[in-house]
Amino acid sequence: MSPLWAGVSLITLEHVSKNFDSPSGSVRAVEDVSFEVDAGALHVLIGPSGSGKTTTMRMINRLETISEGTITINGRDVRDLDVVELRRAIGYVIQQGGLFPHFTVADNVAVVPRLLGWPRARRRQRAEELLALVGLPPKQFADRFPRQLSGGQQQRVGVARALAADPPIILMDEPFGAVDPITRKQLQRELRRIQAEVQKTIVFVTHDIGEAFLLGDRIVLMAEGRIVQNGTPADLLRNPASPFVTEFIGEDRSLRALQHTYLAELAGSRPDGVPDDVPILAGTLSIPQAGQELARHDRSNREGFLVSDVSGRPSGYLTYQQLATVLGESIAPAETMTSAEAAPDPEAAHVLPV
Amino acid sequence: MRRGEPLDFIAYIRDHPEQFRELLLEHVRLVGFSVLIAILIAIPLAVLTTRLAWFERPMTWIANVGQTVPSLAILGLTLPLLGIGFRPALFALTIKAVLPIFLNTVIGIRGVDRAIVDAARGMGTSDRQLLWFVELPLASPVMFAGIQTATVQNIGLATLAAYIGGGGFGDWILQGLAMVNPPILLAGAVPVAVLAMSTEMILRGVRRVIVPAGLTVT
Amino acid sequence: MFYLFEQPERVFELTLEHIRLVGISVLAATLIGVPVGILCTRIRWLESPILNLSGILYTIPSLAFFAILIPYTGLGASTATIALTLYSLLAIIRNTIAGIDDVPRATLDAARGMGMTGRQRLFLVELPLAIPVIFAGIRVATMAAIGIAVIAAVIGAGGLGRLIFDGLRTLDADQVLAGAIMATVLALVGDWALKRLGDALRRDAGAAAEGR
């Protein structure tokens, strides 16, 4: 564990802004962003390109300078820390892994331990441990080079590398953006399994709303440098802060993939005590249609909505949390659509070929 | 050009073994020293260039223009400045060798995948570690290609160095031209050609060997 | 420096001679190199031996190359032209192959689909699209030839090298300087002009590709 912030690791951004100098003058990339990342939680930063999500994340480990505002970790201003020590104490995963092509897989995983001066044997042991954790048998993979790995495998090495020195915080910059959708789904499930095991504080940048719904404990939606909404996945569905939120969620192709999935298939039976004033939606609505329909209702302070059956009786019920989970799983709908619980099967992830 | 059959150059070399060895030594020394000095100048300069944003444009501009200057012109320009002999020749050859090594080092370092540099910095490498762990190893094939170009090019340039008293096989070529004597002419020319071609092929082989493992695997 | 002003006519004459030597050699190399490059893209196994051969030729120091040719072709401009042509081949052949190989598969498929014969594909599609790359090769070859032609003066081919060699022989630094400066200026101007021409060609090719 990094000595810099043993124990809880709370990240706080207060009124953070970022200006970039460009030939045509200063450009505001991030505007007055404030949020907190709880220890052990996974926060997703999401938004269209140019929304400032990556810049915001890169200010945490100071790959970008902070123009205004403060970022603290466990109460310590990141600017008061030595930049090299700061970065070694934070795991970092980027798209396509950013693996060193001239290092073996094991050496790649052990980069930060090496920078920290761990002895060789301990580095090797740690690398093997982590390769096993991310589902790459060390015997088979430790001495290969990145070029001999598939994109998905490289991405696993990238995750293992970020965990190497056991940093309590990990920053992930569209880590699964460059792999095919099926592999991406696998990696997302793997990450959730690993996260359940290691309980890191993770800031995760993506533009894929499905990924955000699947992985995020909280989602920070950004546009044009500002935060549009910061909430749980269910919050975003239940209380979208603006039409932009609904639109952003609705435009995603993962949602379009659900146009042949209907509410009736997802809804569970209506539990007792559901008030009558919650919205009632027809079971024949597809998920995208339901999203638009819900936008017309007042959804504040409600956990879910009622779903009517063929005879028009509101006999079914679906929570926003369940809907969010479905959205997160939507790229591989067949596996999760059978149950409204949509609980991830932790075993399933292991069976999938690497 | 009828004094002696051209192929008599073999006999000429055989008759002058001492001189042959001396010219070979001079030639190799001129090339070896100039490339070595050029490496020591060019690589640090290139690293510095990639570190200082304002330095890059003027430096690469100078290097590119320098590349365009005909080699004989460089030799010619050193004469009024430094006179004749081994040192002016060494000076001109060194300048000429700095250019490709410098440019290739800059290109090599600049060519390292941005994502890899970003990952390295994000993991907390110091500037020095970034250079030694990541940038130089990954740039090494391109850098070595620059050294190879410089070496082969200087074997040729060293021939011209004879004109400013630098010695080497150019001496015999010069003599052969002046005396209109094909065997002497070829006694200088053929060994230089062979030296250049074999060096090129040897360095190509070396390059294949020194490429960091991992860059060549598939 | 003063030599330039004292003997402007001689300098001008030698510059023209230099340009002529380079121009003829590069023209000859283009006339040989482009068809050879095309041949290499049609008969694939030829590519590697031809590129290797011209690559090795390229490493031979020019003075040595001239010297080796002299017993057979004599002193003078023709020997220099032969050597310069051979030197220029590498860049032109290599770029011709690269340029044709760079033509997108889809474009070729479309051409084939429209019923073009092999010859029509070559002249209507492949060569026009490859021209910017081929021209880049010609530019590289020209730049090298300008430099090597300076050395050709030693075998009596004329050109700006005369000033340098004459100066070296008579220890006339002024004359050496004049030759060196003029050769450099010629190289820089040539490089600039060819670059502009290349950009124009690329724009045309781009416009043509878009207009299609």
Side-chain angles (χ1 to χ4, degrees):
Chain A
M1 173 78 63
S2 160
L4 254 188
W5 31 72
V8 281
S9 291
L10 180 81
I11 307 173
T12 315
L13 287 82
E14 283 172 73
H15 305 293
V16 172
S17 296
K18 171 71 185 176
N19 304 321
F20 280 114
D21 291 325
S22 81
S24 53
S26 183
V27 175
R28 196 78 152 169
V30 174
E31 172 84 55
D32 192 25
V33 160
S34 302
F35 65 91
E36 277 190 5
V37 184
D38 304 325
L42 191 152
H43 267 234
V44 170
L45 289 180
I46 193 169
S49 52
S51 59
K53 55 189 191 297
T54 300
T55 307
T56 302
M57 191 195 78
R58 287 167 64 91
M59 284 190 281
I60 297 173
N61 66 351
R62 287 175 57 195
L63 281 170
E64 304 289 354
T65 55
I66 302 163
S67 302
E68 286 162 41
T70 324
I71 298 179
T72 59
I73 298 178
N74 279 359
R76 299 177 67 180
D77 190 324
V78 291
R79 276 173 300 195
D80 296 340
L81 300 165
D82 177 73
V83 69
V84 163
E85 272 182 60
L86 169 79
R87 289 175 187 161
R88 287 179 190 172
I90 298 177
Y92 185 51
V93 187
I94 62 172
Q95 202 175 85
Q96 293 173 325
L99 301 182
F100 300 162
H102 56 309
F103 281 18
T104 62
V105 165
D107 287 343
N108 261 294
V109 173
V111 167
V112 179
R114 183 170 165 186
L115 296 177
L116 294 170
W118 293 17
R120 183 182 295 270
R122 188 166 158 224
R123 295 200 309 246
R124 177 77 188 189
Q125 192 197 342
R126 181 67 179 151
E128 292 187 355
E129 240 172 74
L130 286 166
L131 286 174
L133 177 72
V134 299
L136 298 172
K139 274 211 179 69
Q140 199 182 338
F141 288 97
D143 297 314
R144 290 204 195 169
F145 286 104
R147 295 232 171 125
Q148 296 166 304
L149 269 51
S150 71
Q153 290 166 343
Q154 290 186 20
Q155 219 42 267
R156 286 165 194 258
V157 177
V159 172
R161 183 167 72 171
L163 292 166
D166 203 13
I169 298 170
I170 297 177
L171 305 181
M172 305 183 99
D173 185 3
E174 307 216 20
F176 309 141
V179 294
D180 65 89
I182 293 174
T183 308
R184 187 185 317 164
K185 209 80 230 168
Q186 284 173 22
L187 289 168
Q188 288 165 355
R189 294 202 181 104
E190 289 270 303
L191 178 65
R192 205 157 55 173
R193 172 183 64 79
I194 293 166
Q195 168 67 348
E197 205 168 309
V198 297
Q199 293 288 322
K200 300 295 183 188
T201 304
I202 299 178
V203 178
F204 189 108
V205 167
T206 182
H207 60 266
D208 176 348
I209 191 76
E211 190 163 78
F213 277 124
L214 181 66
L215 295 174
D217 293 314
R218 289 187 78 85
I219 296 175
V220 177
L221 174 61
M222 294 182 67
E224 289 169 5
R226 295 167 183 274
I227 293 182
V228 180
Q229 187 164 10
N230 173 5
T232 62
D235 286 340
L236 261 65
L237 288 170
R238 182 173 49 210
N239 290 323
S242 72
F244 173 80
V245 179
T246 316
E247 203 180 309
F248 185 80
I249 296 171
E251 265 182 6
D252 191 81
R253 63 191 143 53
S254 58
L255 196 63
R256 255 180 273 131
L258 287 172
Q259 57 187 333
H260 298 299
T261 303
Y262 302 98
L263 286 182
E265 300 172 43
L266 303 176
S269 59
R270 178 178 182 170
D272 294 334
V274 173
D276 286 332
D277 59 347
V278 301
I280 302 171
L281 272 71
T284 52
L285 291 177
S286 71
I287 302 296
Q289 285 169 331
Q292 286 169 10
E293 183 66 27
L294 282 170
R296 284 187 221 124
H297 289 85
D298 170 25
R299 286 164 277 173
S300 47
N301 304 320
R302 295 285 177 244
E303 293 302 315
F305 53 89
L306 289 163
V307 177
S308 60
D309 57 23
V310 275
S311 55
R313 276 183 305 125
S315 60
Y317 186 71
L318 196 61
T319 67
Y320 291 107
Q321 182 56 54
Q322 284 166 338
L323 190 60
T325 311
V326 169
L327 287 172
E329 289 286 355
S330 61
I331 294 172
E335 284 190 36
T336 47
M337 289 306 111
T338 48
S339 154
E341 301 295 320
D345 178 5
E347 295 300 319
H350 285 292
V351 183
L352 293 162
V354 175
Chain B
M1 284 259 161
R2 278 288 167 264
R3 237 168 293 167
E5 283 300 304
L7 286 178
D8 285 350
F9 78 89
I10 295 169
Y12 188 85
I13 293 172
R14 212 165 356 178
D15 291 345
H16 302 81
E18 293 283 311
Q19 211 184 341
F20 179 81
R21 212 169 310 141
E22 198 178 317
L23 292 181
L24 175 66
L25 206 68
E26 275 173 2
H27 210 102
V28 169
R29 199 166 47 197
L30 209 49
V31 174
F33 280 146
S34 62
V35 172
L36 214 62
I37 297 170
I39 290 172
L40 295 177
I41 296 171
I43 293 180
L45 205 60
V47 169
L48 197 68
T49 300
T50 60
R51 293 298 184 270
L52 300 172
W54 61 268
F55 204 47
E56 181 157 357
R57 280 180 74 93
M59 283 305 288
T60 47
W61 186 83
I62 291 172
N64 275 318
V65 169
Q67 288 273 61
T68 340
V69 180
S71 8
L72 190 61
I74 291 189
L75 270 175
L77 289 169
T78 49
L79 181 77
L81 291 174
L82 297 172
I84 60 167
F86 179 78
R87 278 189 207 182
L90 184 64
F91 177 80
L93 262 65
T94 304
I95 299 241
K96 200 64 187 166
V98 163
L99 301 172
I101 301 173
F102 169 84
L103 282 172
N104 275 40
T105 305
V106 171
I107 292 167
I109 292 178
R110 282 271 164 266
V112 174
D113 189 346
R114 292 284 317 146
I116 292 169
V117 174
D118 191 65
R121 293 205 318 134
M123 285 187 295
T125 51
S126 64
D127 199 46
R128 185 176 299 220
Q129 287 167 330
L130 182 69
L131 184 69
W132 287 104
F133 282 178
V134 180
E135 291 179 311
L136 287 182
L138 289 178
S140 63
V142 185
M143 289 163 68
F144 190 81
I147 294 171
Q148 185 182 338
T149 305
T151 309
V152 174
Q153 158 210 288
N154 270 11
I155 290 174
L157 198 53
T159 323
L160 295 169
Y163 278 87
I164 59 167
F169 284 121
D171 275 358
W172 272 355
I173 297 179
L174 220 67
Q175 214 178 318
L177 280 170
M179 295 162 58
V180 199
N181 185 331
I184 302 184
L185 190 62
L186 291 186
V190 174
V192 163
V194 171
L195 187 63
M197 289 189 286
S198 51
T199 305
E200 165 82 9
M201 282 189 278
I202 289 167
L203 291 182
R204 256 189 227 180
V206 172
R207 180 152 56 140
R208 227 163 278 148
V209 175
I210 64 148
V211 170
L215 296 185
T216 47
V217 295
T218 45
Chain C
M1 216 29 178
F2 302 112
Y3 190 92
L4 271 179
F5 305 109
E6 283 161 13
Q7 305 267 356
E9 276 171 31
R10 177 154 192 257
V11 173
F12 182 69
E13 208 172 291
L14 291 175
T15 307
L16 279 187
E17 218 167 58
H18 205 99
I19 294 171
R20 194 164 53 222
L21 186 61
V22 171
I24 292 174
S25 308
V26 174
L27 188 68
T30 306
L31 293 178
I32 301 168
V34 173
V36 170
I38 293 169
L39 197 67
C40 286
T41 63
R42 296 300 184 266
I43 307 172
R44 220 61 239 209
W45 60 264
L46 279 175
E47 179 181 359
S48 145
I50 285 180
L51 283 182
N52 277 332
L53 186 69
S54 47
I56 285 169
L57 223 56
Y58 199 74
T59 63
I60 300 176
S62 48
L63 189 58
F65 204 169
F66 293 144
I68 291 168
L69 288 174
I70 285 171
Y72 305 97
T73 57
L75 291 167
S78 55
T79 299
T81 309
I82 293 171
L84 284 176
T85 304
L86 289 173
Y87 277 126
S88 305
L89 281 176
L90 173 65
I92 295 173
I93 296 177
R94 194 175 46 198
N95 279 42
T96 304
I97 297 174
I100 291 177
D101 282 351
D102 275 358
V103 175
R105 279 236 81 80
T107 311
L108 279 181
D109 278 351
R112 204 171 288 134
M114 285 183 290
M116 285 191 188
T117 64
R119 182 177 302 239
Q120 287 169 328
R121 278 205 303 277
L122 179 65
F123 286 105
L124 296 176
V125 181
E126 290 175 296
L127 277 183
L129 288 176
I131 276 176
V133 183
I134 297 175
F135 188 78
I138 294 175
R139 177 176 150 224
V140 170
T142 309
M143 296 318 297
I146 290 177
I148 297 167
V150 179
I151 298 161
V154 79
I155 60 163
L160 289 165
R162 282 278 303 270
L163 294 172
I164 299 179
F165 284 113
D166 287 355
L168 284 171
R169 201 164 33 238
T170 56
L171 288 180
D172 177 0
D174 217 31
Q175 200 174 339
V176 171
L177 208 55
I181 289 171
M182 279 310 292
T184 305
V185 168
L186 185 63
L188 288 175
V189 170
D191 190 39
W192 175 82
L194 291 174
K195 205 179 280 177
R196 291 290 300 268
L197 199 56
D199 288 347
L201 279 174
R202 199 164 310 125
R203 262 197 310 278
D204 286 355
E210 268 166 37
R212 206 163 278 138

